[in-house]
Amino acid sequence: MTAVDDALALLAAPAVGVWSAPGRANLIGEHTDYNEGFVFPFAIAQRTAAAVALRDDDVIRVRSTFADDAIEVSLADLDARIAAGGLDWAGYPLGVAWALLHEAPDAAPRGVDIALASEVPVGAGLSSSAAIEGAVASALNDVWGAGLDKVALARVGRIAENDAVGAPTGIMDQMASMLGVTDAATFLDCRTLETRPVALGFAEAGLAILVVDTLVEHAHSTGGYRERREACERGAAAFGVASLRDLAVDDLPRAEEILDDVTFRRVRHVITENQRVLDTVAALDADGPAAIGDLLVASHASMRDDFEISVPELDLAVETALSAGAVGARMTGGGFGGAAIALIPAELLSAATDAVHAAFAASGFRRPSIFTVTPSEGARRDA
């Protein structure tokens, strides 16, 4: 059974279609998106599906395989329900509906039943939320005749996440989920929203991406993520610039002079991470995927020491994967839990998996979930 099958089974009404969108793994470029910087994610094969049936009234009814209760909201009451909050998981699909209506005033909204099913692990840093947003936005864009392109639908997803759910994230996740290309990552300028697919060539080089989901759950709408964003804003304000995107590595000596230690280290991570994204894209173009390992390792060290968003489980996953032969490894996602990724020769996958399981057991950590991901297609209509 796929997510599409599960969504159709849950709908229990004649569907007008099924749309899906993938999660994403971020190869490099963490916490740079809301600083208008550079990111380099790829869509993964694991997807969330949204099956849709039409109604005769103005009610949006959402159900999912990951919650027991259906949530119903009339279109007339949608603004008030979003403002009131407290919708839990339903804030994502209903937030998309709300944002789409505001972003596409020519749309023709009508009542719908939406059934959601997902293959994307929740809390693993693989953006299960963007997968929901992308699937629902793609569905309602078609059903309501909104006529938005994929970049505009990514904006709809970000508005839902920021304003309906209250998570202060950037637009990277939504853009990766909407614009994914098979065997490529999306090089994204978060200021201009210009994108370029960059071939990865992992399989051709005999490499694979191993994900170690630590099962340490995180929540972006809670304090740690918000505090990091506020530190970045303080750093930009101290320099009188719109965002940290406007600063470069050459500005770090001055930053160390004028900023307190914590703010400086947050700023240093973002500035150096932006440069690592640019260097990674250049290395892939020039020398292929085997050349990017040191950049992945440096990114993890920066997130661990300067941005302080790693946890012991993530550090152990990275260290063990490198000891088992990975070309490079880093935590991925917003941090405070979630997953690490390792770029590793395919023939070492089994041994590396065993090594990570053994290391977690020896440290008394919960047994992680370990699997591979492949760069895959973005949002689409499936049926």
Side-chain angles (χ1 to χ4, degrees):
M1 295 283 283
T2 66
V4 169
D5 297 325
D6 290 341
L8 284 169
L10 183 65
L11 188 63
V16 295
V18 186
W19 292 256
S20 71
R24 65 96 190 96
N26 191 21
L27 190 61
I28 196 165
E30 225 66 75
H31 288 264
T32 48
D33 56 349
Y34 57 78
N35 289 292
E36 299 187 333
F38 303 105
V39 294
F40 197 46
F42 61 87
I44 61 176
Q46 291 86 341
R47 307 180 72 86
T48 293
V52 179
L54 301 179
R55 298 176 61 100
D56 294 328
D57 54 22
D58 75 337
V59 169
I60 302 175
R61 183 175 188 265
V62 292
R63 297 186 65 191
S64 77
T65 56
F66 38 88
D68 293 332
D69 298 328
I71 306 295
E72 295 186 1
V73 179
S74 71
L75 289 167
D77 293 337
L78 191 55
D79 281 352
R81 286 296 302 273
I82 293 298
L87 290 167
D88 194 30
W89 69 270
Y92 293 97
L94 293 175
V96 165
W98 167 77
L100 183 65
L101 290 177
H102 286 277
E103 292 296 299
D106 295 331
R110 59 175 298 171
V112 289
D113 282 338
I114 302 173
L116 295 166
S118 185
E119 304 158 346
V120 185
V122 175
L126 298 176
S127 204
S128 57
S129 58
I132 294 172
E133 292 154 6
V136 174
S138 298
L140 294 181
N141 187 54
D142 287 355
V143 172
W144 289 352
L148 299 183
D149 63 22
K150 286 193 171 185
V151 173
L153 292 177
R155 290 195 190 98
V156 165
R158 179 182 61 178
I159 292 168
E161 189 137 351
N162 290 174
D163 299 337
V165 179
T169 58
I171 200 169
M172 173 185 69
D173 296 349
Q174 294 81 11
M175 289 288 281
S177 184
M178 292 303 302
L179 298 173
V181 174
T182 300
D183 197 33
T186 300
F187 176 44
L188 168 63
D189 181 334
C190 293
R191 171 166 283 175
T192 67
L193 298 189
E194 293 178 356
T195 62
R196 175 167 74 91
V198 177
L200 294 172
F202 291 154
E204 185 179 356
L207 298 170
I209 290 285
L210 188 69
V211 175
V212 179
D213 179 1
T214 65
L215 304 181
V216 178
E217 294 190 7
H218 59 183
H220 285 170
S221 58
T222 54
Y225 191 101
R226 189 178 300 276
E227 289 168 4
R228 299 310 186 276
R229 183 162 186 162
E230 290 170 351
C232 294
E233 292 168 353
R234 287 197 305 273
F239 273 88
V241 296
S243 74
L244 294 183
R245 160 65 177 275
D246 296 307
L247 303 180
V249 172
D250 290 346
D251 294 303
L252 287 175
R254 175 63 176 157
E256 190 168 18
E257 290 178 1
I258 67 173
L259 301 174
D260 64 86
D261 176 65
V262 171
T263 304
F264 167 67
R265 288 187 289 110
R266 307 299 188 246
V267 167
R268 181 168 60 185
H269 164 71
V270 173
I271 291 174
T272 57
E273 187 80 345
N274 272 327
Q275 187 61 53
R276 282 188 288 270
V277 173
L278 298 175
D279 292 344
T280 298
V281 172
L284 281 165
D285 285 339
D287 302 309
I292 68 172
D294 289 346
L295 291 161
L296 303 182
V297 173
S299 175
H300 183 77
S302 182
M303 290 185 288
R304 181 192 63 214
D305 301 335
D306 277 352
F307 226 59
E308 295 182 291
I309 55 173
S310 190
V311 296
E313 291 89 340
L314 287 169
D315 294 337
L316 182 61
V318 168
E319 293 160 6
T320 306
L322 291 172
S323 296
V327 173
R330 64 187 287 273
M331 59 151 284
T332 189
F336 309 104
I341 58 171
L343 181 62
I344 190 166
E347 68 269 17
L348 298 179
L349 284 171
S350 179
T353 298
D354 291 344
V356 173
H357 278 144
F360 271 58
S363 296
F365 295 150
R366 185 178 178 185
R367 182 178 175 86
S369 174
I370 303 178
F371 51 93
T372 58
V373 292
T374 55
S376 301
E377 182 185 359
R380 67 189 184 213
R381 183 168 183 165
D382 290 275

